Amino acid sequence: MIYSGTLTERLTFYHIVESQSQSGFKKVEEVQYKSCLGDRLKNKETYVTDANELFHITELQFKVRYFEGLLDTDIVVYQDQRYRILSVDKNRRDNEITLTISKINE
């Protein structure tokens, strides 16, 4: 159960939309479709070494109120940083979604 006083973090969701012109040129756009408040649960940071390169992986977990239209390929913006969705746990009975997101390294 999510209580309204715990929803303090602003999350913005974007769909990735691919369009193709008549000439065959493909264009990928991010279209904002939802902005809501969430409850930040935990933060997990990991350091991974691959081919002598050090990668810093940041995973965040949020609870938001249940809504339709959420896809695994959506982009989440939190505090002006872009994140991809790792897992979605929908709980209709409690009217909540638990999201695990990971920072996109650009």
Side-chain angles (χ1 to χ4, degrees):
M1 175 72 64
I2 301 176
Y3 298 104
S4 62
T6 62
L7 300 175
T8 57
E9 307 296 329
R10 172 69 57 189
L11 298 170
T12 307
F13 296 88
Y14 292 86
H15 280 310
I16 297 175
V17 178
E18 187 176 287
S19 60
Q20 185 173 1
S21 67
Q22 291 180 346
S23 65
F25 178 74
K26 287 188 179 181
K27 184 169 87 172
V28 177
E29 292 180 310
E30 294 178 2
V31 179
Q32 179 181 347
Y33 74 95
K34 176 84 173 165
S35 183
C36 66
L37 293 174
D39 180 20
R40 185 171 171 179
L41 298 177
K42 62 182 178 179
N43 182 20
K44 178 181 172 186
E45 295 189 27
T46 313
Y47 292 97
V48 177
T49 304
D50 186 23
N52 292 329
E53 289 187 55
L54 181 65
F55 294 96
H56 179 216
I57 301 169
T58 303
E59 291 181 9
L60 303 175
Q61 195 170 36
F62 289 93
K63 277 193 179 181
V64 295
R65 297 213 189 276
Y66 186 88
F67 62 92
E68 293 293 329
L70 181 65
L71 302 174
D72 291 341
T73 58
D74 290 346
I75 301 294
V76 180
V77 175
Y78 170 65
Q79 292 183 345
D80 297 328
Q81 299 290 323
R82 293 166 33 92
Y83 294 86
R84 69 174 166 230
I85 297 176
L86 294 179
S87 69
V88 177
D89 182 24
K90 296 180 180 181
N91 189 348
R92 288 280 293 166
R93 193 181 78 190
D94 289 339
N95 195 33
E96 67 185 22
I97 298 174
T98 303
L99 291 173
T100 303
I101 59 176
S102 176
K103 187 173 181 182
I104 298 174
N105 294 323
E106 297 182 67

